[in-house]
Amino acid sequence: MKRNEMMALLGLAALWGASFLFIRISSQVLGPFLTIQGRVTIAAIALIIYMFAVKKPLEWKLRWRQYLMIGLLNAVIPSIFIAVAALQLPASMSAILNSMTPLFTALVAWGWLGESMTFRKWLGIFTGTFGVALLVGWSSVPFTLNIIIACLISILSTVSYGFAGVYTKKYLAGVPPLSLATGQQIGATIILLPVTLVFWKESFQAVTPIAVFSMVGLALFCTTFAYLLYFYLIESAGPTIAASVTLLIPFFGIVWGLVFLNETITWGMIVGLFIILSSIFLISDQTLPKFRKQPS
């Protein structure tokens, strides 16, 4: 792995890890719906401008149904669930719970596409479940009904991501990543807009600069720029290296929560994270990317 690819991988993980920080801040003030509406709308506009600049086709008329569906599964549902859960959960815990996405992707692929489930994969799923139980039960967050519900909602977001991954593989194979990401954000914008209009007055009653900045940062840095880094990694280093960002996102989610929100990090969270990441290795057979010096 070249040095610039390693930097892109770390940058992508840092940006996607920061998304939980921005969602935690913005959703507390603007509400979950306006926060995510701002994210997908601003990102859609930025990506459309970029596509025009690089002269890449979106092919909306050809794939608008698929773009709406992937926007629903990969942006609207999981992002709203994460934002709702963020009203109760620390950003660091949300980031750790989100790392369960590969587990549910494997389950959805097994049930939908008939992909084989080996003993190793089943072991990974049970290991990840144990890691979540340890994470929630051995943390600084009070073990209340609201916290349990928030954790379940956060986990449901990873289920939606799982369905999105399988749907993409089945119906959007071969679509350029940039077109897919842009179409997804446009589809999410269209789907979410009617719901946001119902809640927008309540959301604007207590607007603060930091909440607006968080929403804009979520859209431009954690979505638009992050996707461009992701596309670069896929093209330069390959999809396996790009997918390994999953293993790094929780680390940055913990760091940003600790630094900017003074969140408490417990041994239970660290051990739970380690167990969940171990389960991802069992599920995906991923290996850590090897670093090689960039040729001069």
Side-chain angles (χ1 to χ4, degrees):
M1 191 176 185
K2 298 178 182 178
R3 184 177 293 117
N4 57 345
E5 293 169 352
M6 177 65 76
M7 295 302 295
L9 181 67
L10 292 175
L12 178 61
L15 288 172
W16 276 345
S19 66
F20 300 95
L21 168 71
F22 287 138
I23 289 175
R24 171 74 170 168
I25 295 172
S26 183
S27 62
Q28 297 280 344
V29 178
L30 302 179
F33 294 103
L34 185 58
T35 295
I36 304 307
Q37 182 73 69
R39 176 183 194 176
V40 298
T41 303
I42 296 172
I45 294 171
L47 286 170
I48 289 172
I49 293 174
Y50 180 78
M51 287 198 70
F52 273 108
V54 298
K55 298 180 180 179
K56 296 291 185 180
L58 177 60
E59 298 182 339
W60 174 263
K61 291 183 179 180
L62 179 64
R63 298 190 174 93
W64 66 270
R65 293 180 180 85
Q66 290 86 354
Y67 286 152
L68 286 174
M69 180 58 70
I70 198 63
L72 176 67
L73 293 175
N74 207 41
V76 174
I77 294 177
S79 295
I80 290 295
F81 280 176
I82 292 171
V84 171
L87 298 176
Q88 301 288 335
L89 298 181
S92 53
M93 183 175 286
S94 294
I96 296 173
L97 290 172
N98 188 255
S99 65
M100 292 189 69
T101 297
L103 278 68
F104 287 105
T105 302
L107 281 174
V108 174
W110 170 62
W112 190 351
L113 302 180
E115 292 189 1
S116 62
M117 284 290 290
T118 63
F119 173 78
R120 174 171 174 160
K121 289 185 177 182
W122 281 115
L123 180 61
I125 291 172
F126 286 114
T127 302
T129 304
F130 174 72
V132 170
L134 187 63
L135 167 69
V136 177
W138 190 15
S139 70
S140 60
V141 179
F143 194 68
T144 64
L145 179 60
N146 287 341
I147 293 299
I148 294 174
I149 293 174
C151 288
L152 291 175
I153 291 174
S154 185
I155 292 172
L156 282 175
S157 72
T158 68
V159 177
S160 186
Y161 280 132
F163 275 100
V166 175
Y167 181 87
T168 301
K169 181 177 181 178
K170 187 174 178 65
Y171 296 106
L172 289 165
V175 178
L178 179 58
S179 300
L180 179 57
T182 306
Q184 168 187 294
Q185 300 304 317
I186 295 174
T189 299
I190 295 172
I191 292 172
L192 193 54
L193 186 58
V195 182
T196 304
L197 290 175
V198 176
F199 295 96
W200 76 272
K201 289 185 178 180
E202 297 177 5
S203 301
F204 272 106
Q205 287 179 356
V207 174
T208 62
I210 187 64
V212 174
F213 172 80
S214 296
M215 182 182 69
V216 174
L218 180 66
L220 293 180
F221 299 123
C222 302
T223 308
T224 306
F225 186 61
Y227 267 121
L228 296 180
L229 281 179
Y230 186 61
F231 305 149
Y232 164 77
L233 278 172
I234 291 177
E235 182 177 354
S236 178
T240 300
I241 296 295
S244 67
V245 71
T246 306
L247 305 174
L248 300 173
I249 293 173
F251 169 77
F252 283 100
I254 290 174
V255 170
W256 299 144
L258 178 65
V259 172
F260 293 103
L261 298 179
N262 296 316
E263 295 181 353
T264 302
I265 309 302
T266 66
W267 279 109
M269 296 177 67
I270 300 299
V271 174
L273 171 61
F274 176 78
I275 293 175
I276 292 172
L277 294 184
S278 298
S279 71
I280 295 175
F281 275 102
L282 293 172
I283 287 289
S284 60
D285 298 326
Q286 290 191 70
T287 57
L288 290 176
K290 295 182 179 178
F291 178 82
R292 68 176 186 271
K293 185 177 179 181
Q294 184 174 6
S296 56

